[in-house]
Every structure is written in structure tokens, then in C-alpha cells.
């Protein structure tokens, strides 16, 4: 980066907030993809005005800007693949500005960690439901940029369902407000709607207003073991159709169950086709009991072979142990895990899983699957036995592409939670027409005519 | 309209679907604003392909296109203020295409009436919650275009919370798909998000996929009479903070109560400051009883002077009679009603209503208010005593402008439900900066470079 630019940033932010040394660049060069791209600099804006000044300067000088959360993304959204300066909010813009008890909203800066907000609002008996697996370290700015999901989506929805308002800075330095602290607001275009999930490519978020709900007083956990995926999916459908929406309804397939049992010997049946784990919550014990009764009925009508309701927190933790340890257990099937977060309409889950079994057979890879049946979001894992065998790795990616094709053919999406970034960019053409891609490029131009904000991500 | 254009449309659609006679033009010239603007033609597309052909032709020939729902809008969104052809979906594109029981979604054409969908899904024990007051005649295409709200928003949200996917036609004739039949979908920009509430100015909707929920089995109605608005608002806050979210929580102010009592003599206390009416629903009677108990506690803690839970449907209907007849009762205060649907953060309702009382005094207009406290949406009615007195009418609009200014100063929005259209366009500058307006114009250009789709609405 030219010295004149470095000097501008250091004059603006102070030398302690504008870094161009190898160590800082290295520290902000990677994300959960484990890929590395060195940025040209790392900036820590202190406030919205700093962001505005930085963007104005970068826009005039055609310097790429990469807004970055915690770098926990799975698709490279925050990687400086074309250089540029990384904007990090973790040093200064990491404050919870307001917990507004009357309107049940929180106002936060983008660098606040998801869990920090959850913990804070809990003190007031409130609840911020979106719970990406990264919630202990991912930032709310990143969550909004990627529209993060989580296990509680079936009942509580995802990040976009909680964003009430945003403040953001456009590439030209102008500050815009989008949305209000109100459920209803239909004045002008839904700017917040398009900023969510835009992967930092349209504007830089400077303030986020999030909806809170009352923290449910009670929660119960149930588990069902099924002979087949079809039976399990039938149980999911029946439960929902009878008006019970569990907080989460997670499934493990046979390969996942077998891997878990081999690793931990918890007595899971090796011949089971699927396990469902469901949490039900609410404020009234009678209502939870009623919900559990309906859930139990639905499971029995779907030929569950073993059904259990946890009597206490310990039993609930035991049940959840299986789901929480899925990801590490399946490592036994290969040392390279190509994991994707495809999502299909719930009704298509059996067909999806059958198709994946065929792909598994065709390519001779184990492909264990687990995830969120309540919302059709499946974590598929193409397990490549030897990551040092380039031919095998190539075949692995071919299998992934087939999984994507199958998903799209079933009305599903390339990504339920992780976004597109660079990892899934090559697959965008499977899911979007040229007209749709062109429209997205035009929207990008409307916000960012010089293409300085996280450019060339999402296949745009 | 030039004959060559008329001929193109008649050749494409058949003469029975392309009308240029005065009667058709007149019939499609107005909406609920009671303003009239004659379009140059009225077209009834039979399918998405027709829409595509029409738009392509109009784009090439710079002919304005106005997509129209049922013409029940309050802000002129569907008025042909600059001529052009009206596209109406009420003749052909009015089918419910699918009720997908497994995924709990409905797929509809834009011309389907809101209530028709509600009735249809009820047969399956399902529920489509958005309930604009126009639901018996407004179309779902119009509902999405305006992001319609309703009384059930406090618990169930508004139209945007139910739109899962859209098909739409761009001005260049290209068909795009936005969203999926899945709760989670984070691939590409949130195109559905920006199309919702865009008042037909970005693309023409051709198919709408809506989320359904299970129809709650039970509903109960409660009413509280309060000495002051502050007490009533306090009761709303306490109820919500304790984790009970009524389906709706409606309020009437003192002027509304007095008008109702004078007209109907139902025994409402003329000195009461406010009435709250709340519906609570659920699948489990014990849970509803528990919710009602919390609601009752909250009301008593907020000094309710009379509290009642309806014992049966008749009593519930009696309670709701007051709210339903508000709008017509207040006619006693003037023969011109300037009604707006402003919305503020719930906590600001007392301040808003105090400010409105001051504006009322300053201008010597009665301004009765009622509406949805659960979501901060207030229907304010500046009552002008003589609509034939131009000076008085002018003063009325000045009072309205002051109401808007007050609303914006309290962090509120010009419109909670009705949109901007032409009626509120002059007030956009009160709520949006030039940078925000410019961004919206750029977004419009990204979709519609020739500005043929419902141009010059929303102050753009």
C-alpha cells in the first residue's frame, strides 16, 4: 500500500488504529475456510464518522475495503482476496449501546459478539434467539452480513427476522439509516432487507437495532430413534402440522449415529436409520406438556422405535451430546471434510438424503448428514479419506457439485447459513440465471459504483 | 395511446384482455384515496409470459406500466398519475396454485384476495396471519407491494414476515426468482426483501410463496378501561415484558370513546382516558388462561379501572364492537377526515399522543386516535369540520405535516401500513436524507433503467 495512503489512515485513526505491518496483516488474513489472503492494511475505526472518512477516501482512491466480523465465516466472505484494507470493529465498535426494555430492542455496534448480547439480555429476562454455531465468537455485524441462522430457526427464525433497523455507511461516505424501532415501517424501499446477507458488499454497517423477545421460562428435550429417515421426516411433518413448533428439531443420519457410537459407546443403536432431537419451550408448563404430548403422538404415528423425554437437565445434556459431537465423530470417515450447508424445502429432505446416498455410492465417499430438519437445513459432509491425494480431493469436489445440483433441482438453496463468499461462488450459476446475476450486479453498482466494497464475492 | 401500441397489446392478449375504452379506463382510474387519474389502457395478463411480453414492449417503447392490486390503497400507489397501462391480475392471475401441507406454504398468483387465501387454508387447519383492514377485497400482490400490516402484527408480524419466495418480471421482460420454500436461504442478495414494499416500482410480481402457520385452536378477548393513555401504555409494556404477546392489542383514545358512546350508547365511560382490547390465542387452554392471568395482573398493576374477559364469542364481539366502529363514529367531529397511519416505537406512544393533543389545540381540530399499541401503529385522524372551506382544509394538511414531523422526531415512520404512493410523497423529505433518497433512486434504476414501472411514486 502506498505510503501516502498509509499516512492518511494513520493521521485519521492514530497509528494505534491503522496497521500495515506483516503481523497485523497475517492476523487478519484468514477465516474458517483456513485460506489465507494478506490484506494491505488493517484499520480499527473508532466510530461511524471514522468509517465514513475511510470509505470516502477509499472510494476516491479506488482502494478495496473489506468489512470483517470475527473471521469465523465458512465461505471466505471476509477474505481480502484482492488485497485492500480490512475494517475490524472488534477493537472499538464492540459496545452494546442500549437495551431498550420498553420496546424490547437492543442497539449494538457491529463488533459485539452474539453471545455477549445473549448473556446481557438474559439479565433482563429477555432473549436474542439467533444462535449460529459460532455464537461464542462471531460478531453481530458478521451475523447480519451473512444472515446467520442456527438451531433455533425452526421456531424463532434467523438473523433477518430480528433486524429492525440499521445504520450503515455507503462507499461514498454518506451515512444512511434503514428501518426503525417499529414492527411496521413501509416508508421507502426496504433498505435493511437488502443489506442483510449482502456479505459486506453494499455498505458498512455501523449500528444494528435488533428485536428481542421474552426469555421462555421452561424448556424440555425429547428424542426419538427411527428405523428410517422417512419415518423421522414424517414425524417432523406431523408435529409441525399439528401446530407444535419445537425450538429446534435436529436429526442425525445412520452414518453419523454409527460414527458417534464407535467413538463414544453411548448405547446408540447401530442399525437405526435416524435420530431426532427436539427442544420445546414456553412460559407455561402445561403448554409444554401439551406440546410434548402432541410431539410424542406424532413420533409414535411415525413408527418411532424408541422415544424419550429428558427428566432433567442432565438427561437433556446426554441427549444433546450426540448432536453436539457429530461433527468431530465423523472424522473417522476421512481426513478431509467437505461440508456444505444446503437447505431444501422440508418435504424434500427424504429425497435429498436418498440422492446423497446415491452420490456417496457413485463416488465411494461416505457422506454423513445431520442438521436442522425443522427448517430443511442439512449439513452434508463429503468425507475424503486422504487429503494428500489430489485426484481424490478433485473427486470430492465433484461430489460436492453433484450435491449442489441435486439440492437446486429439489427447490433448495446452495446455502442456508454460511453464505456464498468465494467458496460457493463457482456454484452460483447452478442456482441463478444470468438475468438474476445481472440484477445483483446492478444492485451492487447502485450502492457501490466503484466496486470497492468486498468486490468479486458471491460470484458477482 | 397510439394505435400501434393498442394493436400490439390486443394481438398479444386478445381484445377481451386489452382495453382502451373510456369505461375500462374510468374503472381502473381510482383507489381508496378517491383521486382519479385515467390510464391509457387496462391490460389483463393471462400468465407470467404475458407480463414478460408486455414489459419488454413497454420498456422498448417507454410506456409507463402500473401494476394494480384491488385499488384499495390509501396512498395512491396504483394510480396512473402519469398515464400508462394498468396491469390487473384480477381477471386471470387470481389462482391459489398450491397449498403445500408438508412445507406449510401457499403458492399464489398476485390477484388472489387475502381473505380467499385465509379461508382456503383454514380448511386445512392452517393460518395466514396478515390481516389488513382491506383483507376482504385487497389482493396478495398488492399486500406484498405495500407490505401490508394489520391487527395481528404484534404477535404474528406483517406481510414481509410471510413472504418466502417471489417470482417477478423485470422491466426488460426477464423473469427472476427470489427466495425459496425454505426458512433459510442466504445465497445471493435478498431480492425478495427489496421487492416487498416497493409499491410496484421495481418489478411486477407474478407468483408469491407465503409461509403458513398452524391455526391456533383457542382465542380469548379481554378489555381494560384506563383513566389515562399513560396507564394503558404501561399495561401494554408490562404485558409484553412478562412474555405474553397478545395477537392484537388495540387502543381507543378519549375522543374515540366519546364519539362511540354518543353514537351507540353502549355504556362506555365518557371520562375514560383509554380502552385497550386484547386477543390472546394458542393451542392449549391452560396456556391461554396463564397468559390472560399475566395480562390481567399487568393491567391491574397499571391501575386499570375496569377489566373484563369475554366469556363467550358474543361477549368478545361486543367488546370488539367499539374498535370496529371507531372509524365511522368519529365522523361526528368533521366531514373531512385526514387519516394517517404513523408508527412510533411503542415506548413513544404516550409522548406522541400528548404531542398530537397539542397540535389539536393549536389548530382547533379534533384529532381522535386509535390503533395498534402492540406495534406502535396509530391511526390519527385530523377531523376538518368543513371540507368545502379551502382555508380550513389547508390548515388541516398543515396539522398533518406537524403530526408527521412529531412522529419522525420520536423515531417513528410516516407509514406503518399504507405506504407512500403519492399522498405521502411530499413528506418523504421529513424522514429521509438526500443520500437515502439518492440511494433509493439508484436502486430503482438498477431494476428499471427506463423508469417505466410506476414512476415518480414514493417521492423518487
Amino acid at each position: 500500500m502506498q505510503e501516502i495512503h498509509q499516512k492518511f489512515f494513520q493521521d485519521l485513526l492514530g497509528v494505534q488504529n491503522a496497521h500495515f505491518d506483516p503481523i497485523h496483516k497475517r492476523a487478519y488474513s484468514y477465516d474458517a475456510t483456513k485460506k489465507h489472503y494478506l490484506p494491505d492494511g488493517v484499520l480499527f475505526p473508532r466510530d461511524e464518522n471514522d468509517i465514513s472518512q475511510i470509505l470516502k477516501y477509499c472510494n476516491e482512491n479506488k482502494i478495496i475495503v473489506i468489512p470483517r466480523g470475527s473471521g469465523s465465516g465458512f465461505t471466505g466472505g471476509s477474505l481480502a482476496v484482492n488485497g485492500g484494507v480490512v475494517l475490524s470493529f472488534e477493537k472499538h465498535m464492540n459496545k452494546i449501546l442500549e437495551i431498550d426494555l420498553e420496546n424490547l430492542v437492543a442497539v449494538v455496534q457491529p463488533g459485539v459478539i452474539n453471545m455477549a448480547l445473549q448473556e446481557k439480555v438474559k439479565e433482563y429476562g429477555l432473549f436474542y434467539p439467533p444462535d449460529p454455531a459460532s455464537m461464542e465468537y462471531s460478531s453481530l455485524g458478521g451475523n447480519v452480513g451473512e444472515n446467520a441462522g442456527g438451531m433455533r430457526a425452526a421456531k424463532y427464525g434467523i438473523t433477518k427476522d430480528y433486524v429492525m433497523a440499521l445504520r450503515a455507511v455507503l462507499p461514498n461516505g454518506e451515512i444512511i439509516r434503514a428501518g426503525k424501532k417499529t414492527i411496521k415501517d413501509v416508508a421507502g424501499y426496504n433498505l435493511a432487507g437488502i443489506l442483510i446477507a449482502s456479505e459486506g458488499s453494499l455498505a458498512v454497517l455501523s449500528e444494528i437495532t435488533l428485536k428481542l423477545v421474552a426469555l421462555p421460562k421452561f424448556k424440555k428435550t425429547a428424542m426419538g430413534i427411527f428405523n428410517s429417515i422417512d419415518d423421522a421426516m414424517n414425524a417432523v411433518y406431523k408435529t409441525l402440522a399439528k401446530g407444535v413448533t419445537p425450538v429446534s428439531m435436529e436429526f442425525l443420519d445412520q452414518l453419523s449415529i454409527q460414527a458417534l457410537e464407535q467413538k463414544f459407546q453411548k448405547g446408540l443403536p447401530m442399525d437405526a436409520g435416524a435420530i431426532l432431537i427436539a427442544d420445546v419451550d414456553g412460559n407455561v408448563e402445561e403448554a409444554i406438556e401439551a406440546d410434548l404430548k402432541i410431539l410424542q403422538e406424532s413420533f409414535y404415528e411415525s413408527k418411532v422405535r424408541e422415544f424419550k423425554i429428558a427428566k432433567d437437565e442432565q438427561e437433556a445434556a446426554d441427549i444433546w451430546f450426540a448432536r453436539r459431537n457429530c461433527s468431530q465423530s465423523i472424522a473417522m470417515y476421512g481426513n478431509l471434510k467437505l461440508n456444505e450447508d444446503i437447505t431444501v424445502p422440508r418435504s424434500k429432505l427424504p429425497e435429498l438424503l436418498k440422492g446423497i446416498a446415491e452420490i456417496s455410492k457413485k463416488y465411494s465417499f461416505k457422506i454423513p448428514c445431520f442438521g436442522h430438519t425443522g427448517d430443511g437445513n442439512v449439513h452434508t459432509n463429503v468425507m475424503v479419506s486422504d487429503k494428500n491425494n489430489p485426484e481424490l480431493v478433485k473427486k470430492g469436489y465433484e461430489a460436492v457439485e453433484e450435491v449442489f445440483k441435486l439440492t437446486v433441482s429439489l427447490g433448495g438453496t446452495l446455502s442456508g447459513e454460511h453464505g456464498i463468499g468465494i467458496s460457493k461462488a463457482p456454484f452460483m450459476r447452478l442456482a441463478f440465471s444470468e438475468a438474476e446475476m445481472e440484477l445483483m450486479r446492478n444492485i451492487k453498482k447502485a450502492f457501490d459504483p466503484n466496486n470497492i466494497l468486498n468486490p468479486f464475492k458471491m460470484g458477482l
Side-chain angles (χ1 to χ4, degrees), chain A:
Chain A
M1 166 151 283
Q2 291 175 44
E3 235 166 77
I4 184 171
H5 298 324
Q6 298 191 15
K7 186 166 178 329
F8 172 83
F9 294 126
Q10 287 177 332
D11 287 350
L12 175 69
L13 304 169
V15 288
Q16 70 282 20
N17 293 317
H19 302 274
F20 307 95
D21 57 288
I23 294 172
H24 272 90
K25 288 189 201 173
R26 178 83 185 162
Y28 289 84
S29 69
Y30 62 90
D31 72 355
T33 59
K34 295 175 194 155
K35 294 191 178 106
H36 289 255
Y37 293 92
L38 286 187
D40 299 316
V42 179
L43 308 180
F44 297 108
R46 294 157 303 179
D47 55 26
E48 189 175 73
N49 187 47
D50 277 351
I51 300 175
S52 171
Q53 297 295 321
I54 293 168
L55 284 175
K56 199 158 177 286
Y57 184 82
C58 289
N59 197 42
E60 280 161 9
N61 292 280
K62 309 271 180 4
I63 298 167
I64 287 173
V65 178
I66 318 284
R68 182 183 169 93
S70 304
S72 59
F74 274 117
T75 53
S78 62
L79 295 180
V81 288
N82 301 286
V85 289
V86 163
L87 290 198
S88 171
F89 310 97
E90 64 189 2
K91 191 167 162 188
H92 302 294
M93 296 184 69
N94 56 4
K95 316 277 186 307
I96 296 175
L97 300 174
E98 188 189 1
I99 306 289
D100 177 343
L101 296 176
E102 288 184 286
N103 296 300
L104 300 180
V105 303
V107 182
V108 303
Q109 291 183 315
V112 171
I113 301 303
N114 177 306
M115 189 57 105
L117 178 65
Q118 292 200 38
E119 293 293 337
K120 184 73 191 167
V121 302
K122 214 173 177 177
E123 293 171 19
Y124 302 98
L126 297 174
F127 185 31
Y128 176 68
D131 61 339
S134 60
M135 62 190 162
E136 290 178 26
Y137 40 89
S138 67
S139 72
L140 291 165
N143 288 180
V144 174
E146 302 288 327
N147 194 6
M151 291 213 197
R152 300 193 279 240
K155 176 164 180 176
Y156 288 105
I158 61 178
T159 303
K160 82 170 155 64
D161 301 309
Y162 293 85
V163 174
M164 302 195 75
L166 296 171
R167 289 180 70 96
V169 187
L170 296 177
N172 63 12
E174 292 281 0
I175 293 161
I176 60 164
R177 304 145 308 153
K180 297 269 180 296
K181 269 189 187 180
T182 59
I183 293 170
K184 293 172 175 170
D185 174 22
V186 297
Y189 290 138
N190 179 13
L191 297 177
I194 194 82
L195 289 177
I196 297 163
S198 66
E199 305 198 3
S201 69
L202 300 180
V204 176
L205 304 181
S206 49
E207 191 182 285
I208 304 167
T209 299
L210 295 165
K211 184 170 88 167
L212 304 173
V213 297
L215 186 69
K217 292 196 187 76
F218 306 102
K219 188 160 79 176
K220 285 262 194 177
T221 298
M223 184 194 63
I225 299 176
F226 296 85
N227 285 323
S228 72
I229 283 281
D230 281 15
D231 288 350
M233 296 304 137
N234 197 31
V236 171
Y237 161 63
K238 276 183 190 281
T239 306
L240 294 166
K242 289 177 186 172
V244 175
T245 306
V247 182
S248 44
M249 192 137 47
E250 299 289 304
F251 88 105
L252 317 178
D253 72 354
Q254 188 167 47
L255 282 173
S256 304
I257 297 167
Q258 289 172 347
L260 272 160
E261 188 52 25
Q262 285 180 54
K263 192 169 165 83
F264 297 105
Q265 288 93 42
K266 293 273 181 181
L268 296 175
M270 300 284 278
D271 64 333
I275 289 177
L276 281 183
I277 301 172
D279 272 355
V280 174
D281 73 359
N283 285 321
V284 181
E285 279 192 292
E286 290 88 342
I288 295 185
E289 293 306 328
D291 280 357
L292 281 173
K293 212 178 129 196
I294 290 170
L295 185 132
Q296 182 165 2
E297 268 169 33
S298 306
F299 278 37
Y300 275 100
E301 285 167 21
S302 311
K303 300 183 263 175
V304 70
R305 68 185 226 194
E306 208 182 311
F307 180 80
K308 184 177 182 173
I309 294 172
K311 278 194 289 290
D312 51 34
E313 278 189 24
Q314 185 53 49
E315 278 195 22
D318 289 345
I319 288 174
W320 274 101
F321 179 89
R323 174 65 182 86
R324 292 199 199 287
N325 289 281
C326 249
S327 201
Q328 54 152 309
S329 302
I330 58 172
M332 64 176 280
Y333 295 128
N335 59 21
L336 176 63
K337 179 169 78 175
L338 304 176
N339 59 322
E340 302 295 343
D341 65 320
I342 51 171
T343 304
V344 293
R346 273 191 309 257
S347 66
K348 300 293 184 185
L349 278 171
E351 211 171 321
L352 175 73
L353 294 168
K354 270 187 207 107
I356 289 176
E358 279 164 32
I359 294 168
S360 163
K361 215 178 284 171
K362 175 173 164 189
Y363 286 88
S364 301
F365 292 122
K366 302 268 191 206
I367 312 183
C369 296
F370 50 86
H372 321 301
T373 43
D375 56 41
N377 185 196
V378 177
H379 294 280
T380 57
N381 305 274
V382 173
M383 303 303 299
V384 180
S385 55
D386 180 5
K387 67 179 171 186
N388 297 315
N389 179 336
E391 207 162 310
L392 215 53
V393 172
K394 187 166 162 278
K395 250 183 69 187
Y397 282 106
E398 283 167 23
V400 168
E401 178 152 359
E402 283 214 34
V403 170
F404 282 138
K405 280 184 184 158
L406 172 66
T407 303
V408 170
S409 78
L410 295 171
T413 173
L414 302 177
S415 178
E417 309 186 310
H418 299 167
I420 300 298
I422 54 168
S423 315
K424 299 195 181 194
F427 305 108
M428 284 291 274
R429 71 193 151 71
L430 298 178
F432 293 94
S433 70
E434 184 44 37
E436 290 156 355
M437 293 301 289
E438 180 65 20
L439 176 61
M440 289 194 245
R441 282 191 290 266
N442 287 341
I443 291 172
K444 166 93 169 123
K445 258 182 236 156
F447 282 81
D448 180 19
N450 291 337
N451 204 25
I452 62 158
L453 260 183
N454 210 7
F456 313 113
K457 300 288 173 72
M458 307 168 85
L460 297 181

